[in-house]
């Protein structure tokens, strides 16, 4: 009853109305718990992305609860002003009561380090406080959010965390993109790590042509979560149990002498999650990440991520009988009910 004033929103807000409702649901669900989050971040020459990255972190932590968040940053070898910005961030986080530990180093890879061994050590360095807090204070975290030097939106981070918890996932990844100058379109980026459920590499291609696996491709185009063999893609939300429980997974290089195929440290940790019984690894296609703020994707690419709200839960395959180190094309077992 009564007068209803005309909406002051634009046609865009009307188009994204369902997205707004969903984002509010996600924020309400995550804000209502005492779930504890460990953010691990590696930075190297990241001066350009730090302001946006830290702004998103502050807003996400405010929703999750500053007391529920711990941020661990490991920076090494930067030649720009990354270290100076980190000192400012350190002071700001402490002023609002958000716990942060920043470790910096002048170490670089050098000429004699194996690339994957070096990257694994750098990633493990960001995890040091996770184990220190467990050993010294008996503090355990419920989710780990590992971030590369990407440009996340607040709702993207919250969506990944929400999907991880909703689907009880071992690892939950976004989709990362780089702008392809020749075809004038964003293309999927991290296909060195990302493999579909059959172990086939995803394509460096526009949105609709990334997956070879038909069912995954159909879900991808509907913006629904998809189970994969492995992924990382800029941000990964991890169940910390395999880090806390024996055999204590960690980033590593391949065990070549034991017949293990050479692979990324992020691929190998996905395999180790499978081995530990945490093979619920999923990608959330509606969360799209970029690394470069200069080349902004076309407007249509930004809008399409909001057209489908991915509230449908995923049905997982059971663990593989053997670790799929070489990304074989063996058919997965039947799906769980």
């Amino acid at each position: 009853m009564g007068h209803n004033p005309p909406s002051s929103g634009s046609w865009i807000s009307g188009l994204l109305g369902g997205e707004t409702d969903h984002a509010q649901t996600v924020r309400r669900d995550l804000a209502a718990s005492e779930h504890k989050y460990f953010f691990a971040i590696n930075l190297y020459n990241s001066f350009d992305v730090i302001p946006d990255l830290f702004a998103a972190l502050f807003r996400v932590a405010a929703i999750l609860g500053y007391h529920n968040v711990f941020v661990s940053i490991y920076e090494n070898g930067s030649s720009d002003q990354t270290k100076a910005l980190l000192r400012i961030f350190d002071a700001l986080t402490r002023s609002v009561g958000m716990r942060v530990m920043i470790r910096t180093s002048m170490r670089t890879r050098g000429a004699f380090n194996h690339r994957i061994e070096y990257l694994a050590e750098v990633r493990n360095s960001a995890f040091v406080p996770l184990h220190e807090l467990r050993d010294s204070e008996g503090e355990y975290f419920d989710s780990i959010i590992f971030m590369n030097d990407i440009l996340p939106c607040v709702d993207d981070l919250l969506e990944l965390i929400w999907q991880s918890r909703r689907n009880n996932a071992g690892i939950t990844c976004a989709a990362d993109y780089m702008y392809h100058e020749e075809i004038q379109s964003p293309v999927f980026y991290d296909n060195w790590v990302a493999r579909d459920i059959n172990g086939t590499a995803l394509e460096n291609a526009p949105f609709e042509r990334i997956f070879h696996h038909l069912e995954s491709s159909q879900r991808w185009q509907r913006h629904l979560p998809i189970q994969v063999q492995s992924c990382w893609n800029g941000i990964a939300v991890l169940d910390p149990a395999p880090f806390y429980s024996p055999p204590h997974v960690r980033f590593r290089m391949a065990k070549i002498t034991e017949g293990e195929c050479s692979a990324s440290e992020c691929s190998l940790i996905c395999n180790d999650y499978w081995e530990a019984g945490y093979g619920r690894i999923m990608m959330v296609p509606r969360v799209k990440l970029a690394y470069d703020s200069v080349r902004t994707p076309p407007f249509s690419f930004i809008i399409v991520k909001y057209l489908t709200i991915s509230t449908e839960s995923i049905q997982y395959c059971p663990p593989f009988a053997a670790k799929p180190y070489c990304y074989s094309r063996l058919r997965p077992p039947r799906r769980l009910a």
Side-chain angles (χ1 to χ4, degrees):
M1 301 291 291
H3 173 65
N4 292 318
S7 171
S8 60
S10 68
W11 68 270
I12 299 178
S13 62
L15 174 65
L16 304 183
E19 163 65 21
T20 301
D21 293 341
H22 175 66
Q24 291 174 348
T25 298
V26 169
R27 292 181 180 222
R28 183 175 61 250
D29 289 350
L30 296 179
S33 71
E34 291 299 312
H35 198 91
K36 302 189 73 172
Y37 302 91
F38 184 92
F39 285 78
I41 305 173
N42 285 132
L43 296 176
Y44 167 74
N45 283 344
S46 304
F47 181 84
D48 291 338
V49 301
I50 281 178
D52 293 303
L53 178 62
F54 289 173
L57 273 178
F58 273 113
R59 293 175 62 193
V60 167
I63 293 166
L64 300 178
Y66 288 127
H67 62 288
N68 289 328
V69 172
F70 188 98
V71 180
S72 171
I73 297 174
Y74 180 75
E75 178 279 334
N76 67 292
S78 295
S79 57
D80 61 3
Q81 294 300 310
T82 293
K83 287 180 172 63
L85 275 183
L86 287 176
R87 288 192 291 271
I88 297 173
F89 177 66
D90 187 25
L92 290 173
T93 54
R94 295 180 190 280
S95 70
V96 298
M98 185 165 73
R99 294 184 298 165
V100 60
M101 180 174 291
I102 299 174
R103 300 187 181 190
T104 64
S105 170
M106 295 307 297
R107 182 189 175 190
T108 59
R109 177 185 167 191
F112 302 102
N113 288 87
H114 187 283
R115 180 173 183 268
I116 301 303
E117 183 178 27
Y118 166 72
L119 292 175
E121 291 178 4
V122 167
R123 292 192 186 276
N124 286 329
S125 295
F127 273 135
V128 168
L130 182 78
H131 304 295
E132 289 180 342
L133 289 168
R134 176 200 60 197
D135 297 339
S136 64
E137 301 181 24
E139 182 175 10
Y140 289 81
F141 292 85
D142 303 299
S143 293
I144 295 171
I145 300 93
F146 206 115
M147 301 172 63
N148 293 353
D149 50 350
I150 40 79
L151 296 168
C153 297
V154 172
D155 286 326
D156 283 340
L157 271 170
L158 295 175
E159 176 76 11
L160 279 181
I161 294 169
W162 186 80
Q163 290 287 353
S164 171
R165 294 179 58 181
R166 175 185 175 87
N167 288 283
N168 192 27
I171 299 176
T172 304
C173 307
D176 57 346
Y177 286 80
M178 295 291 281
Y179 194 71
H180 196 293
E181 296 287 357
E182 291 184 11
I183 64 175
Q184 296 291 293
S185 173
V187 297
F188 181 77
Y189 177 65
D190 193 11
N191 73 337
W192 191 39
V193 176
R195 300 290 186 271
D196 68 22
I197 194 61
N198 285 342
T200 304
L202 276 59
E203 294 291 338
N204 289 129
F207 182 85
E208 67 276 6
R209 299 198 299 272
I210 292 171
F211 278 90
H212 292 278
H213 183 251
L214 180 59
E215 182 180 347
S216 296
S217 181
Q218 291 170 344
R219 289 185 65 86
W220 181 264
Q221 293 181 52
R222 293 169 58 205
H223 294 77
L224 296 174
I226 303 155
Q227 187 183 16
V228 294
Q229 180 183 304
S230 59
C231 63
W232 201 255
N233 307 345
I235 300 178
V237 181
L238 300 97
D239 185 328
F243 286 91
Y244 285 137
S245 305
H248 302 294
V249 303
R250 55 187 285 115
F251 292 98
R252 61 181 179 83
M253 65 181 295
K255 301 172 184 175
I256 304 296
T257 58
E258 299 179 19
E260 189 175 42
C261 294
S262 179
S264 160
E265 75 283 359
C266 298
S267 301
L268 294 170
I269 206 164
C270 290
N271 290 341
D272 291 344
Y273 261 64
W274 277 101
E275 176 73 5
Y278 289 82
R280 294 178 172 228
I281 300 173
M282 58 180 275
M283 288 179 63
V284 181
R286 67 183 301 276
V287 178
K288 298 175 173 65
L289 303 175
Y291 296 87
D292 187 350
S293 60
V294 176
R295 296 186 181 90
T296 303
F299 182 73
S300 60
F301 172 73
I302 299 172
I303 285 293
V304 76
K305 69 185 285 186
Y306 297 105
L307 295 184
T308 304
I309 305 304
S310 49
T311 56
E312 178 183 319
S313 295
I314 198 169
Q315 286 188 312
Y316 290 104
C317 290
F320 286 96
K323 280 190 289 189
Y325 279 127
C326 297
Y327 306 111
S328 68
R329 294 177 181 269
L330 295 174
R331 299 297 298 176
R334 64 178 179 81
R335 292 197 175 277
L336 293 173

